[in-house]
Amino acid sequence: MCAQKNIRVGVIGAGRIGKIHATNLATRIAGAEVAAIADVNLQAARELAEKLHVSNVYSDFQQIMNDDSIDAVAICSSTDTHASLMVEAAKAGKHIFCEKPISQNLATIDKAIEAVEKAGVKCQIGFNRRFDPNFKKVRQLVQEGKIGDLHILRITSRDPAPPPPSYVKLSGGMFLDMTIHDFDMARYLSGSEVVEVYAAGGVLVDPAIGEAGDIDTALITLKFANGAIGTIDNSRKAVYGYDQRVEVFGSGGMVSVSNNLPNTSVYSSADGVVSEKPLYFFLERYMDSFIAEMQDFVDVVIKDSPTPVTALDGRKPVVIAMAAKKSLDENRPVRLTEIEP
Amino acid sequence: MCAQKNIRVGVIGAGRIGKIHATNLATRIAGAEVAAIADVNLQAARELAEKLHVSNVYSDFQQIMNDDSIDAVAICSSTDTHASLMVEAAKAGKHIFCEKPISQNLATIDKAIEAVEKAGVKCQIGFNRRFDPNFKKVRQLVQEGKIGDLHILRITSRDPAPPPPSYVKLSGGMFLDMTIHDFDMARYLSGSEVVEVYAAGGVLVDPAIGEAGDIDTALITLKFANGAIGTIDNSRKAVYGYDQRVEVFGSGGMVSVSNNLPNTSVYSSADGVVSEKPLYFFLERYMDSFIAEMQDFVDVVIKDSPTPVTALDGRKPVVIAMAAKKSLDENRPVRLTEIEP
Amino acid sequence: MCAQKNIRVGVIGAGRIGKIHATNLATRIAGAEVAAIADVNLQAARELAEKLHVSNVYSDFQQIMNDDSIDAVAICSSTDTHASLMVEAAKAGKHIFCEKPISQNLATIDKAIEAVEKAGVKCQIGFNRRFDPNFKKVRQLVQEGKIGDLHILRITSRDPAPPPPSYVKLSGGMFLDMTIHDFDMARYLSGSEVVEVYAAGGVLVDPAIGEAGDIDTALITLKFANGAIGTIDNSRKAVYGYDQRVEVFGSGGMVSVSNNLPNTSVYSSADGVVSEKPLYFFLERYMDSFIAEMQDFVDVVIKDSPTPVTALDGRKPVVIAMAAKKSLDENRPVRLTEIEP
Amino acid sequence: MCAQKNIRVGVIGAGRIGKIHATNLATRIAGAEVAAIADVNLQAARELAEKLHVSNVYSDFQQIMNDDSIDAVAICSSTDTHASLMVEAAKAGKHIFCEKPISQNLATIDKAIEAVEKAGVKCQIGFNRRFDPNFKKVRQLVQEGKIGDLHILRITSRDPAPPPPSYVKLSGGMFLDMTIHDFDMARYLSGSEVVEVYAAGGVLVDPAIGEAGDIDTALITLKFANGAIGTIDNSRKAVYGYDQRVEVFGSGGMVSVSNNLPNTSVYSSADGVVSEKPLYFFLERYMDSFIAEMQDFVDVVIKDSPTPVTALDGRKPVVIAMAAKKSLDENRPVRLTEIEP
């Protein structure tokens, strides 16, 4: 099994998502190992490295770029550093796994994509939900033609609790921060491109979110190139937990997926019939998909095959998010060609 | 139990819906009897009357209006006759149960409402879905505050098969013919008024529907006076049967209702786990609600209490439907004040 | 539609089940009418007759037997009168619908069956659950071979609340009073005969039931002639309501049916995800099956076809119940040949 | 986090279950490491060790016993070696995790237990299903009193495919090989001891199993010390996959758990509404419970707390299985006191 040398991955960023990817690479991903961990917060990097028995720990990511024994990087640092790290990694000839979004700025994204293409390295963006078994099954049924022609797509995506207003201010707004996953999902499931967006929304959960300049509840209508229509509903707060459902309807039938539960228990008493609430949030809900996306990335590097989520896939939801924001501001449908002609 | 004299109802219209109401009145509704049946197609009226042991059969509805022993009428004739029959019945002092919609013209509706109010008779519009146990339960939970403040309302309403193009031409369009039930449901469940509508849609099911000047698939965004947002998705053809679901989400929780099935069987084999398709169409799905609405109407007459679905409730969805049509035509959100300032 | 003269039915017994059958015959069953109602409690008979507009009311059932215009009787009186009324009706040449059980005594049952056979009248026993859409579907899948060879049959049958001890004393015991429906269901679903029974059980719900000489909880193992095995679990008290489920497992797959609910609502809050309790008891749960069994009976009389639940079908569950009682008393498996060699 | 030295575990047996435990210990269990792997099939041990980066590989388990740096052993070899390895490990002062069953012979089990108790080492038996989130939740609700007094326990346990007849011959019979998990589950969930067993069963799946002296289908009635009754149904072949369900019913309510599915998709088409089959077999279904039981074992060793599944817990299901076998052979209920007075 191990004639093949492991892919050596440098993890940049030892925060929440960095910990997840580093741990998975160290213990769950076949064919890979963590070669180094870098974080401007050296202490965080050290703690993670120690736990995972990783020897190379740096405060400066450049040491990873300079290490010729390292095949790939996992960019898990803050969003504003993603694009420049992609450029650096591309220059260093390292394959790239980068967390979403690449950037909140299209020109910046384009530079990163250009660098990746020029270097000819693999680049995969962290839209992990594509690797969730529920959504994969929906995609599969669509691809197999079981749904027929797509008519209506419905995505429900609601968080269990809103982020703090301080986070909201830097987040780029709900569409870029939260709905971006749903925009990617819409493209992934439909197999078609969004051409027009209409967004309705407001501040219904917490006035502090409004004061931070954002909304917390939204209903977005999508029109696709293939004629289908779609709707996304978002809330920053579902008191019953993380609500992640999808429904795809077409000429041949419908497929829907519902939430994952911690167990299948159903308790019947004089007061009613009670089942479990959904898994609380993305760490619980999507852990399997974090593993699956990284395994896919490592396999792509090993086999020199195309990445399942390209840098362009990382760019398109940003355009949709921008159109959604414009639609909300102007209360009218906005075509994506208005964002970039 | 029967010291109380039965309410004597004259049924006008012996078509599909007339048969349902006449049969229910004759056999299922406590405190009521069918006093007469009228239809311009006398043969249809006769067959129905014979089956229900009703002696008085007319081709001219006026004979029902002239019969002082008749307390109420059930107007089940074609849509274009509803408003004038309401006026006639009001003049004759008869209580009115009238199928929806009252009319496709607001001025006509207003004249009918005026006549009803002047006469002081009871008037109930046939939005039967309000009497469905599923939707009643949703309404109840909203009213009890279990959902908290309403944030997002979702209605899925899909027919199993489209009507013939000949019908489509006369139907007033999908919004007035089909979505009107969903517009009423949106008002009923939210307890709030719609103030703005955005409609996306197209011809995805059958080009003949497009040639008849209508659409067959739609996604409608509603904004409510209380700040909530809602979405309705419609299709004229769901291959798996009549799809009638609702979900209400708010600060306190969510309630959803799914389709009714012919039985609870689940068959597990090597090929998968199969349960039943939804009940096929409205006759199967809503039979109980047809009975319940008529029982309520008869009780209202007996007890001299307010009707649960007033003539104004019959008017408002027409306004929403008009706004939706304008929105679709102009591809922009339309405020209801644009329809009537 | 009505060239055919209605089947005229005399209803004997105006108690709970008599009211159900009389009302259904008067209002829901095509091709039938209630010709007369008899009850030793004349007042009860009168009230029911008045409500249903039936003119002929008697305290003496014999007047029904003497009325040549009456085609059939529905025997809804107390259990101890069933067999002799069957004999009388057979002598009078009337078709017979008789509530279960025919009798608690096999010799008495045999006399009734003999009379029926001699007279050549139709005779149907009121095992209404066979007409329930859930159980019919299970039977259909078994008959179609979708389950393959039957291996394991599971019936769960639990009442929401125990009857009063006074009733328990006269009931013939839980097996004859309650489980008898499940014994019939076992035969109906399996399409095979029970050959051996082992019953475990006890008084777990209410000591007063034990003092009345009965049990309130049981687990019964059945062996069938075709080699399959089955289990029935009974309780007199399920706090969450009437629990009526079945599962059939075989070489080709499994089919299960679950409880019917008043509506499909699912309420998700911070406290959990709550759906409705099962319909409370047999009146709510099995109303459709009461209608369906009577319609079948009337159709059988009209078409002169075989009854779907014969007098012999009424006898066999009594034998199984007797074997179960013997098994419980002696704590050993009992073959049905021990009850009648 | 790692001031604490890892628990060093020697894994004995590199077959299917050995691979699972070794892999989990190496990659998933906090506070543990694989110190050595031994298997009489040295090649198998080597392959596993290489994959997990374990240096010490032996064909003779004794080298593990002799290694003072090793704290604990995981006994994953063939059943006939379990008891003697427990004795050896106890003598060597090593904590013991041992796969079930300890032995098919009670005297042999007793010697192993005696050795463990004398040595004062920890000993945990591999009844992994106790660590499954579904069954844990059932247990929790019972322990919290949510079910009230236990009345009826139902376990469904069906394999997707039978083992080869060669395996069947050495398995000790279905009750010791397969039902033993269900007997343990009955004790675990009820919190009470089984006092009497009645087993019905036969060869319905495959005649070759009968020729090998075993059965493949069974229905077992259990009587508990606390008065409750229970039923287990087993099949060696459910064509729809691994069927692992439990239901506990009592004076306060009921809790049931159903199968785990690979995803939550529901596909509705003209042919029906299809959901996924259960996870195929125990590797898929119970992987989480294998991890959880081993984590618990390691934590027990670290914290010097009592093991959650004791050697006695490993013995009792063997006694129940013996009673079940006797019951099947003699077709009568058998009290456990008949197996050991």
Side-chain angles (χ1 to χ4, degrees):
Chain A
M1 176 161 179
C2 287
Q4 172 77 44
K5 193 179 116 327
N6 272 342
I7 300 297
R8 289 171 52 80
V9 182
V11 175
I12 304 174
R16 188 166 59 176
I17 193 71
K19 275 180 194 153
I20 291 171
H21 288 312
T23 305
N24 290 341
L25 281 162
T27 62
R28 309 290 298 276
I29 307 299
E33 61 187 77
V34 178
I37 298 174
D39 197 307
V40 288
N41 178 344
L42 184 59
Q43 182 57 25
R46 270 196 187 131
E47 281 171 16
L48 182 57
E50 187 172 351
K51 190 172 153 197
L52 300 174
H53 308 291
V54 172
S55 326
N56 303 315
V57 193
Y58 313 119
S59 62
D60 182 0
F61 70 87
Q62 201 61 52
Q63 293 187 262
I64 286 179
M65 301 301 177
N66 295 343
D67 182 344
D68 285 347
S69 79
I70 291 181
D71 304 295
V73 294
I75 302 175
C76 308
S77 46
S78 63
T79 294
D80 58 315
T81 67
H82 289 178
S84 59
L85 284 167
M86 281 175 64
V87 172
E88 295 286 338
K91 281 184 190 161
K94 310 221 176 294
H95 301 296
I96 299 165
F97 176 92
C98 182
E99 271 303 316
K100 56 99 247 179
I102 300 175
S103 164
Q104 293 172 12
N105 180 291
L106 289 183
T108 306
I109 294 175
D110 288 337
K111 275 181 207 157
I113 292 178
E114 196 183 0
V116 165
E117 284 177 352
K118 197 170 162 193
V121 296
K122 306 289 176 193
C123 177
Q124 182 174 328
I125 306 303
F127 280 122
N128 61 293
R129 292 186 197 171
R130 291 188 179 208
F131 299 84
D132 175 77
N134 292 348
F135 301 128
K136 274 177 96 85
K137 177 75 181 189
V138 175
R139 160 93 168 181
Q140 177 197 328
L141 288 171
V142 172
Q143 296 281 315
E144 290 172 358
K146 294 287 178 63
I147 308 303
D149 295 329
L150 182 64
H151 291 179
I152 299 170
L153 171 76
R154 280 195 355 190
I155 296 175
T156 290
S157 180
R158 301 170 189 158
D159 286 353
S166 60
Y167 174 91
V168 167
K169 273 178 197 152
L170 302 173
S171 70
M174 190 168 74
F175 295 142
L176 267 168
D177 180 57
M178 175 177 169
T179 323
I180 197 162
H181 275 294
D182 308 311
F183 293 138
D184 178 62
M185 190 53 59
R187 292 183 65 239
Y188 173 67
L189 295 181
S190 69
S192 181
E193 295 295 343
V194 172
V195 293
E196 189 179 301
V197 183
Y198 172 71
V203 181
L204 300 176
V205 170
D206 185 355
I209 292 174
E211 287 156 21
D214 203 359
I215 58 170
D216 53 33
T217 305
L219 203 61
I220 300 151
T221 301
L222 305 174
K223 294 180 187 171
F224 293 90
N226 63 6
I229 42 184
T231 178
I232 297 168
D233 78 78
N234 287 151
S235 171
R236 283 290 196 181
K237 185 174 183 185
V239 294
Y240 51 87
Y242 199 36
D243 194 350
Q244 296 281 296
R245 289 172 288 153
V246 149
E247 177 179 311
V248 173
F249 169 83
S251 60
M254 169 174 74
V255 58
S256 61
V257 290
S258 51
N259 290 305
N260 287 356
L261 311 181
N263 62 67
T264 63
S265 68
V266 178
Y267 171 57
S268 301
S269 76
D271 295 329
V273 175
V274 184
S275 50
E276 293 284 338
K277 291 188 289 183
L279 291 172
Y280 180 67
F281 210 169
F282 69 97
L283 289 183
E284 295 85 3
R285 172 67 179 81
Y286 286 121
M287 192 48 79
D288 285 348
S289 74
F290 287 125
I291 296 168
E293 70 171 350
M294 194 56 81
Q295 186 66 63
D296 258 41
F297 172 67
V298 168
D299 291 347
V300 154
V301 171
I302 292 173
K303 297 174 187 163
D304 190 17
S305 54
T307 49
V309 194
T310 68
L312 267 175
D313 289 326
R315 185 186 193 278
K316 295 216 166 171
V318 175
V319 179
I320 305 174
M322 288 170 170
K325 183 63 168 54
K326 191 177 183 68
S327 170
L328 184 74
D329 290 345
E330 303 179 8
N331 194 28
R332 65 173 182 88
V334 170
R335 293 191 73 77
L336 264 62
T337 50
E338 296 186 50
I339 304 303
E340 42 176 10
Chain B
M1 174 162 180
C2 288
Q4 173 76 44
K5 192 179 121 325
N6 272 341
I7 299 297
R8 289 170 53 81
V9 183
V11 175
I12 302 175
R16 187 167 58 176
I17 193 70
K19 275 180 195 153
I20 291 170
H21 288 311
T23 305
N24 289 340
L25 281 163
T27 63
R28 308 291 297 276
I29 307 299
E33 62 186 76
V34 179
I37 298 174
D39 198 306
V40 289
N41 178 343
L42 185 59
Q43 183 55 23
R46 267 194 189 133
E47 282 170 17
L48 182 58
E50 187 173 351
K51 190 172 153 197
L52 300 174
H53 307 292
V54 171
S55 326
N56 303 314
V57 193
Y58 312 118
S59 61
D60 181 0
F61 72 85
Q62 203 61 53
Q63 293 187 262
I64 286 179
M65 302 301 178
N66 295 342
D67 182 344
D68 286 347
S69 79
I70 291 181
D71 303 295
V73 294
I75 301 175
C76 309
S77 46
S78 63
T79 294
D80 58 314
T81 66
H82 289 177
S84 60
L85 284 168
M86 280 176 65
V87 172
E88 294 287 336
K91 281 183 190 162
K94 311 223 175 292
H95 301 297
I96 298 165
F97 176 92
C98 183
E99 272 304 316
K100 57 98 246 180
I102 299 176
S103 166
Q104 295 173 9
N105 180 290
L106 290 182
T108 307
I109 294 174
D110 288 338
K111 274 180 207 155
I113 292 179
E114 194 184 3
V116 164
E117 285 177 351
K118 196 170 160 193
V121 295
K122 306 290 177 192
C123 177
Q124 182 174 329
I125 306 302
F127 280 122
N128 60 292
R129 293 186 196 172
R130 293 187 177 208
F131 300 83
D132 174 78
N134 291 349
F135 301 128
K136 276 178 93 87
K137 178 75 182 190
V138 175
R139 159 94 170 181
Q140 176 197 328
L141 288 170
V142 172
Q143 296 281 316
E144 289 172 358
K146 294 286 176 63
I147 309 302
D149 294 330
L150 182 65
H151 291 179
I152 299 171
L153 170 76
R154 279 196 353 192
I155 296 176
T156 290
S157 178
R158 301 170 188 156
D159 285 354
S166 60
Y167 174 91
V168 168
K169 274 178 197 152
L170 302 173
S171 69
M174 191 170 72
F175 297 142
L176 267 168
D177 180 57
M178 177 179 168
T179 324
I180 196 162
H181 275 294
D182 308 311
F183 293 137
D184 179 62
M185 190 53 59
R187 294 182 65 240
Y188 173 67
L189 295 180
S190 68
S192 181
E193 294 296 341
V194 172
V195 294
E196 190 179 302
V197 183
Y198 172 71
V203 180
L204 300 176
V205 171
D206 185 355
I209 292 174
E211 286 156 22
D214 203 0
I215 58 170
D216 52 35
T217 304
L219 203 60
I220 300 150
T221 301
L222 305 173
K223 294 180 186 171
F224 293 90
N226 64 7
I229 43 184
T231 178
I232 297 168
D233 77 78
N234 286 149
S235 171
R236 283 291 196 182
K237 185 173 181 186
V239 294
Y240 51 86
Y242 199 36
D243 194 350
Q244 297 280 298
R245 289 172 289 152
V246 149
E247 177 179 313
V248 174
F249 170 82
S251 59
M254 170 175 72
V255 58
S256 61
V257 290
S258 52
N259 290 305
N260 288 356
L261 311 180
N263 62 66
T264 64
S265 68
V266 178
Y267 171 59
S268 300
S269 77
D271 295 329
V273 175
V274 184
S275 51
E276 292 283 338
K277 291 187 289 183
L279 290 172
Y280 181 68
F281 211 169
F282 69 96
L283 289 184
E284 295 84 2
R285 171 69 179 79
Y286 286 121
M287 193 47 80
D288 284 349
S289 74
F290 287 125
I291 296 168
E293 70 172 350
M294 195 55 81
Q295 185 67 63
D296 258 41
F297 172 66
V298 168
D299 290 348
V300 155
V301 171
I302 291 173
K303 297 173 186 165
D304 191 15
S305 54
T307 50
V309 194
T310 67
L312 266 175
D313 289 325
R315 185 185 192 280
K316 295 214 165 171
V318 176
V319 178
I320 304 173
M322 287 170 170
K325 183 64 169 54
K326 189 177 184 69
S327 170
L328 184 74
D329 291 345
E330 304 179 8
N331 193 30
R332 65 173 182 88
V334 170
R335 294 191 72 78
L336 264 63
T337 50
E338 296 187 48
I339 304 303
E340 43 176 10
Chain C
M1 174 159 183
C2 287
Q4 173 76 42
K5 192 178 120 325
N6 272 342
I7 299 297
R8 289 170 52 81
V9 182
V11 175
I12 303 174
R16 188 166 58 176
I17 193 71
K19 274 179 195 153
I20 291 170
H21 288 312
T23 304
N24 289 342
L25 281 163
T27 64
R28 309 289 297 275
I29 308 298
E33 61 186 75
V34 178
I37 297 174
D39 198 306
V40 288
N41 177 342
L42 185 59
Q43 183 55 23
R46 267 193 189 134
E47 281 171 17
L48 182 57
E50 187 172 351
K51 191 174 153 196
L52 300 174
H53 307 292
V54 171
S55 326
N56 302 314
V57 193
Y58 312 119
S59 61
D60 181 1
F61 71 85
Q62 202 61 53
Q63 292 188 263
I64 285 179
M65 302 300 178
N66 294 343
D67 182 343
D68 285 347
S69 79
I70 292 182
D71 303 295
V73 294
I75 301 175
C76 309
S77 47
S78 62
T79 294
D80 60 314
T81 67
H82 289 176
S84 60
L85 283 168
M86 281 175 66
V87 172
E88 294 285 339
K91 281 185 191 162
K94 310 219 177 296
H95 301 297
I96 298 166
F97 176 92
C98 183
E99 272 304 316
K100 55 98 245 179
I102 300 175
S103 165
Q104 294 173 9
N105 180 290
L106 290 182
T108 307
I109 293 174
D110 288 338
K111 273 180 208 157
I113 293 179
E114 194 184 3
V116 165
E117 285 176 352
K118 195 169 162 194
V121 295
K122 306 289 177 193
C123 177
Q124 181 174 328
I125 306 302
F127 280 122
N128 61 291
R129 292 186 196 172
R130 292 188 178 207
F131 299 84
D132 175 77
N134 291 349
F135 301 128
K136 276 178 95 85
K137 177 75 183 190
V138 175
R139 159 92 170 180
Q140 177 197 328
L141 288 171
V142 172
Q143 296 281 317
E144 290 172 358
K146 293 287 177 63
I147 309 303
D149 294 329
L150 182 65
H151 290 179
I152 299 171
L153 171 76
R154 279 194 356 190
I155 297 175
T156 290
S157 179
R158 302 170 188 158
D159 286 353
S166 59
Y167 174 91
V168 168
K169 273 178 196 152
L170 302 173
S171 69
M174 191 169 73
F175 296 143
L176 267 169
D177 180 57
M178 177 179 169
T179 324
I180 196 161
H181 274 294
D182 308 311
F183 293 138
D184 178 63
M185 190 53 59
R187 293 182 65 240
Y188 173 67
L189 295 180
S190 68
S192 180
E193 294 295 341
V194 172
V195 295
E196 190 179 301
V197 183
Y198 172 71
V203 180
L204 301 176
V205 171
D206 185 355
I209 291 174
E211 286 156 22
D214 203 359
I215 58 171
D216 53 34
T217 305
L219 204 60
I220 300 150
T221 301
L222 304 174
K223 294 180 186 170
F224 293 90
N226 63 6
I229 42 184
T231 178
I232 297 168
D233 77 78
N234 287 149
S235 170
R236 284 290 197 181
K237 185 173 181 186
V239 294
Y240 52 85
Y242 199 36
D243 195 349
Q244 297 280 298
R245 288 172 290 153
V246 149
E247 177 179 313
V248 174
F249 170 81
S251 59
M254 169 174 74
V255 58
S256 62
V257 289
S258 52
N259 290 306
N260 288 356
L261 310 181
N263 62 66
T264 64
S265 68
V266 178
Y267 171 58
S268 301
S269 77
D271 296 328
V273 175
V274 184
S275 51
E276 292 283 337
K277 291 188 289 183
L279 291 172
Y280 181 67
F281 210 169
F282 70 96
L283 288 184
E284 295 85 1
R285 171 69 179 81
Y286 286 121
M287 192 47 79
D288 284 348
S289 74
F290 287 125
I291 296 168
E293 71 172 348
M294 194 56 80
Q295 185 66 63
D296 259 39
F297 172 67
V298 167
D299 290 348
V300 155
V301 171
I302 291 173
K303 297 173 186 164
D304 191 16
S305 54
T307 49
V309 194
T310 66
L312 267 174
D313 289 325
R315 186 186 192 277
K316 295 214 165 172
V318 175
V319 178
I320 305 173
M322 287 170 170
K325 184 63 169 54
K326 190 176 184 69
S327 170
L328 184 74
D329 290 345
E330 303 180 8
N331 193 30
R332 65 174 182 87
V334 170
R335 294 191 73 77
L336 264 63
T337 50
E338 296 187 49
I339 304 302
E340 40 176 12
Chain D
M1 177 162 177
C2 287
Q4 172 76 43
K5 191 179 118 333
N6 271 343
I7 299 298
R8 290 171 52 80
V9 183
V11 175
I12 303 175
R16 189 166 57 177
I17 193 72
K19 275 179 195 152
I20 292 171
H21 288 312
T23 306
N24 289 341
L25 281 163
T27 63
R28 309 290 297 276
I29 307 298
E33 62 187 77
V34 178
I37 298 174
D39 197 306
V40 288
N41 179 342
L42 184 60
Q43 182 57 24
R46 269 193 188 133
E47 282 171 17
L48 182 57
E50 187 172 352
K51 190 172 153 196
L52 301 173
H53 307 291
V54 171
S55 327
N56 303 314
V57 193
Y58 312 118
S59 62
D60 181 0
F61 71 85
Q62 201 62 50
Q63 294 187 261
I64 286 178
M65 302 300 178
N66 295 343
D67 183 343
D68 285 348
S69 79
I70 291 181
D71 303 296
V73 294
I75 301 176
C76 308
S77 47
S78 62
T79 294
D80 58 315
T81 66
H82 289 177
S84 61
L85 284 168
M86 281 175 64
V87 172
E88 295 286 338
K91 280 184 191 162
K94 310 221 177 295
H95 301 296
I96 299 165
F97 177 91
C98 183
E99 271 304 315
K100 56 98 244 176
I102 300 175
S103 165
Q104 294 172 11
N105 180 290
L106 289 182
T108 306
I109 294 174
D110 288 337
K111 274 179 208 158
I113 293 178
E114 197 184 0
V116 165
E117 285 177 352
K118 197 169 160 193
V121 296
K122 305 290 177 194
C123 177
Q124 181 173 328
I125 306 302
F127 280 123
N128 60 292
R129 293 187 196 171
R130 291 188 179 209
F131 299 84
D132 174 78
N134 292 349
F135 301 130
K136 275 177 95 84
K137 177 75 182 189
V138 174
R139 160 93 167 179
Q140 177 197 327
L141 288 171
V142 171
Q143 296 281 315
E144 290 172 357
K146 293 288 178 62
I147 309 303
D149 295 329
L150 182 64
H151 291 178
I152 299 170
L153 171 76
R154 279 195 356 190
I155 297 176
T156 291
S157 180
R158 301 169 189 159
D159 286 354
S166 60
Y167 174 91
V168 167
K169 273 178 197 151
L170 302 172
S171 70
M174 191 169 73
F175 296 143
L176 267 169
D177 180 58
M178 175 178 169
T179 324
I180 197 162
H181 274 295
D182 308 311
F183 293 139
D184 178 62
M185 190 53 59
R187 293 182 65 240
Y188 173 67
L189 295 181
S190 68
S192 181
E193 295 295 343
V194 172
V195 295
E196 190 179 301
V197 183
Y198 172 72
V203 181
L204 300 177
V205 170
D206 185 355
I209 291 174
E211 286 155 21
D214 203 0
I215 58 171
D216 53 33
T217 305
L219 203 59
I220 300 150
T221 301
L222 305 173
K223 294 180 186 171
F224 293 90
N226 63 6
I229 42 184
T231 177
I232 297 168
D233 78 80
N234 287 151
S235 171
R236 283 290 196 182
K237 185 172 182 186
V239 294
Y240 51 86
Y242 199 36
D243 195 349
Q244 297 280 298
R245 289 171 289 152
V246 148
E247 177 179 313
V248 173
F249 170 82
S251 60
M254 170 174 74
V255 59
S256 61
V257 290
S258 51
N259 290 305
N260 287 356
L261 311 181
N263 62 65
T264 64
S265 68
V266 178
Y267 172 57
S268 301
S269 76
D271 295 329
V273 175
V274 183
S275 50
E276 293 283 338
K277 292 187 289 182
L279 291 173
Y280 180 68
F281 210 169
F282 70 97
L283 289 184
E284 295 84 3
R285 172 67 179 82
Y286 286 122
M287 192 47 79
D288 284 348
S289 74
F290 287 125
I291 296 168
E293 70 172 350
M294 194 56 80
Q295 186 66 64
D296 257 40
F297 172 67
V298 168
D299 290 347
V300 154
V301 171
I302 291 173
K303 298 174 186 162
D304 191 15
S305 54
T307 50
V309 193
T310 67
L312 267 175
D313 289 325
R315 185 187 194 278
K316 296 215 164 170
V318 176
V319 178
I320 305 174
M322 287 170 170
K325 184 64 169 56
K326 192 178 183 67
S327 170
L328 184 74
D329 289 345
E330 303 180 8
N331 193 28
R332 66 172 181 87
V334 170
R335 294 190 72 77
L336 264 63
T337 50
E338 295 187 49
I339 304 303
E340 41 177 11

